[in-house]
């Protein structure tokens, strides 16, 4: 059972096309690259995804996009989870597209817009400065005026997704007393990346800005509208991450149940053992709860995208989906026995993806606390 409405032809066609594409273009075997210290993200596959229109799915039609809704992006992300696809679709396509929906578009955005349409340019958001900082409307890094024009950025950003793959970074900093956003080319002088491979085949980087020269025409946006746009983009990224985790959980359970049906011990399939049956039901129950939470968050987002109730629903979905994916991955590895710990076992890819996705943009504990705060439960418990 997926997130789509079976009565909506657009949603059904989208899911079918995503499944067909991933069946042709993606194999779990390519995730083996992580064992040689390489990223699994494929630039050629990214270009083919652009040809499917996925990168521009949330982009306004006036800019060449489809201008579809978060539920359509969620359907794609769920399928990415089911197939354990490492390409950073939410971070490097959906987030920039949502920013462009929220902010005035001008010529300075053109490389980003073109990249969303044809895949030729990848931009990733660099906003986080502290691992505990999950509010995108704040930034400590200052833009200092530079003699001869432009600004100089000095500071550090954390958690930048696929920074080495990106052609440019969308960087937040303080401009006088306002939050501002710049587009900075990845190869700019003074820009230093310290990148790590992640368990799901992608990368995450710490980016140092050592007096990076930022020309005046690199400024994309500033002021209160930018803060609101960043909140919207990161909030949607959290929601889409929850939907991807739901797909990871579903894929892990499906793979495990298939193994339980075929692996025999003492002359019978191990899936007939009562302990494994009970554990499977527990995993399936958590997935049902996570799916209900994701559907509720998508519905709330469609009705009141900026309300505290919607932010609470998104946190609930992320917490539920994180727990469901981790439980499914761990159970799957255990149920596979010794082979489950081998690098060649497909179930390991699901657990690694769950570990990565659950931590991204706040783990389950963080989002449960955020839900309690937004829902006013802290005051109730006092």
């Amino acid at each position: 059972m997926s997130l789509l409405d079976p009565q909506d032809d657009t949603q059904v066609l989208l899911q079918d096309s995503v499944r067909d594409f991933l069946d042709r273009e993606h194999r779990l075997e390519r995730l083996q690259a992580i064992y040689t210290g390489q990223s699994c993200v494929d630039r050629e596959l990214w270009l083919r995804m652009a040809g499917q229109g996925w990168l521009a799915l949330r982009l306004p039609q006036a800019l060449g996009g489809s201008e579809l809704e978060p539920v359509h992006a969620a359907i794609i992300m769920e399928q990415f989870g089911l197939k354990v696809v490492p390409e950073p679709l939410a971070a490097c396509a959906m987030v920039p597209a949502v920013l462009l929906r929220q902010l005035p578009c001008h010529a300075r955005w053109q490389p980003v817009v073109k990249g969303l349409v044809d895949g030729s340019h990848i931009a990733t958001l660099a906003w986080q400065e502290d691992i505990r900082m999950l509010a995108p409307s704040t930034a400590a890094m200052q833009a200092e005026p530079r003699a001869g024009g432009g600004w100089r950025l000095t500071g550090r950003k954390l958690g930048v997704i696929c920074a080495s793959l990106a052609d440019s970074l969308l960087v937040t900093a303080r401009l006088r007393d306002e939050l501002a956003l710049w587009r900075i080319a990845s190869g700019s002088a003074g820009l230093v990346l310290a990148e790590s491979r992640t368990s799901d085949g992608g990368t995450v980087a710490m980016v140092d800005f050592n007096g990076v020269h930022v020309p005046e025409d690199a400024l994309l946006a500033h002021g209160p509208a930018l803060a609101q746009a960043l909140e919207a983009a990161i909030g949607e990224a959290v929601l889409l991450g929850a939907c991807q985790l739901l797909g990871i959980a579903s894929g892990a359970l499906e793979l495990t149940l298939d193994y339980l049906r075929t692996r025999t011990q003492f002359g019978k399939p191990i899936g007939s053992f009562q302990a494994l049956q009970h554990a499977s039901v527990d995993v399936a129950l958590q997935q049902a709860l996570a799916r209900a939470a994701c559907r509720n968050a998508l519905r709330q987002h469609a009705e009141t995208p900026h309300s505290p109730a919607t932010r609470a629903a998104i946190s609930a979905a992320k917490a539920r989906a994180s727990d469901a994916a981790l439980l499914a991955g761990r159970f799957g590895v255990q149920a596979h026995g010794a082979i489950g710990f081998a690098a060649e076992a497909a179930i390991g890819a699901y657990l690694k993806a769950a570990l990565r996705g659950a931590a991204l943009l706040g783990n389950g504990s963080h989002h449960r606390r955020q839900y309690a705060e937004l829902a006013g439960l802290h005051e109730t418990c006092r």
Side-chain angles (χ1 to χ4, degrees):
M1 189 176 183
S2 68
L3 291 170
L4 64 75
D5 177 359
Q7 304 301 317
D8 188 311
D9 291 341
T10 300
Q11 293 184 23
V12 173
L13 288 171
L14 177 61
Q15 179 176 272
D16 290 346
S17 68
V18 175
R19 284 178 173 174
D20 290 344
F21 178 88
L22 294 179
D23 284 342
R24 293 193 314 271
E25 302 288 347
H26 168 68
R27 292 290 181 274
L28 274 178
E29 289 76 16
R30 72 187 181 99
L31 300 184
Q32 298 293 322
I34 62 175
Y35 300 112
T36 61
Q38 301 176 36
S39 169
C40 302
V41 177
D42 185 345
R43 187 71 183 246
E44 292 300 317
L45 180 58
W46 187 264
L47 289 170
R48 293 195 291 275
M49 286 162 48
Q52 297 293 309
W54 300 347
L55 309 187
L57 182 139
R58 294 285 285 131
L59 193 66
Q61 288 184 354
L63 299 178
S66 303
E67 203 169 348
L68 294 177
E69 299 305 316
V71 66
H72 300 102
I75 289 168
I76 297 178
M77 296 308 299
E78 184 181 18
Q79 296 304 311
F80 269 47
L82 276 166
K83 298 291 186 179
V84 203
V85 179
E87 276 65 32
L89 186 66
C92 297
M94 303 303 178
V95 166
V98 173
L99 289 175
L100 282 158
R101 289 176 73 109
Q102 300 278 330
L103 297 168
C105 182
H106 43 71
R108 298 175 184 180
W109 281 100
Q110 188 55 36
V112 179
V113 173
K114 186 175 186 299
L116 292 175
V117 174
D118 64 14
S120 61
H121 186 99
I122 298 178
T124 189
L125 183 64
W127 61 276
Q128 201 168 1
E129 298 176 11
D130 187 301
I131 58 173
R132 296 161 298 181
M133 186 182 85
L134 294 172
S137 59
T138 59
M141 191 161 73
Q142 296 282 339
E144 301 173 350
R146 183 177 181 273
W151 298 274
R152 179 183 290 106
L153 291 184
T154 301
R156 173 177 289 176
K157 296 292 186 179
L158 305 177
V160 183
I161 304 299
C162 287
S164 62
L165 178 75
D167 300 293
S168 63
L169 307 180
L170 305 180
V171 183
T172 59
R174 304 300 300 184
L175 177 60
R176 294 180 284 273
D177 294 326
E178 290 186 322
L179 186 68
L181 181 71
W182 284 270
R183 186 179 69 83
I184 301 176
S186 295
S188 297
L191 199 64
V192 180
L193 305 181
E195 196 163 50
S196 301
R197 308 293 178 227
T198 57
S199 60
D200 63 346
T203 66
V204 64
M206 178 176 67
V207 183
D208 283 315
F209 296 79
N210 298 324
V212 176
H213 173 213
V214 183
E216 293 193 26
D217 63 0
L219 181 61
L220 298 178
H222 61 91
L226 171 61
Q228 184 176 4
L230 285 166
E231 292 281 1
I234 298 302
E236 191 165 319
V238 173
L239 176 54
L240 295 180
C243 296
Q244 186 169 10
L245 283 163
L246 180 59
I248 291 168
S250 300
L253 180 59
E254 181 180 324
L255 186 64
T256 302
L257 292 178
D258 185 63
Y259 183 79
L260 296 181
R261 295 185 194 101
T262 56
R263 174 74 167 89
T264 60
Q265 196 170 27
F266 308 117
K268 60 177 68 175
I270 61 174
S272 64
F273 300 160
Q274 193 173 63
L276 290 174
Q277 290 178 351
H278 288 175
S280 299
V281 170
D282 289 341
V283 174
L285 176 60
Q286 291 304 315
Q287 289 181 31
L289 293 171
R291 182 169 289 105
C294 286
R295 283 179 168 169
N296 179 60
L298 287 166
R299 180 183 59 79
Q300 291 266 34
H301 190 283
E303 295 174 356
T304 54
H306 304 297
S307 70
T310 295
R311 301 205 318 269
I314 290 174
S315 282
K318 181 60 160 64
R320 285 286 190 188
S322 297
D323 293 349
L326 289 170
L327 180 63
R330 289 168 177 156
F331 169 64
V333 169
Q334 293 168 351
H336 276 74
I339 190 63
F341 294 89
E344 295 78 12
I347 189 62
Y350 285 91
L351 177 56
K352 290 168 186 170
L355 289 166
R356 159 75 170 145
L360 184 63
L361 296 176
N363 62 15
S365 296
H366 166 81
H367 281 287
R368 278 189 287 273
R369 289 193 299 271
Q370 184 154 301
Y371 174 83
E373 181 178 341
L374 290 166
L377 298 181
H378 286 320
E379 289 76 7
T380 303
C381 294
R382 286 174 181 169

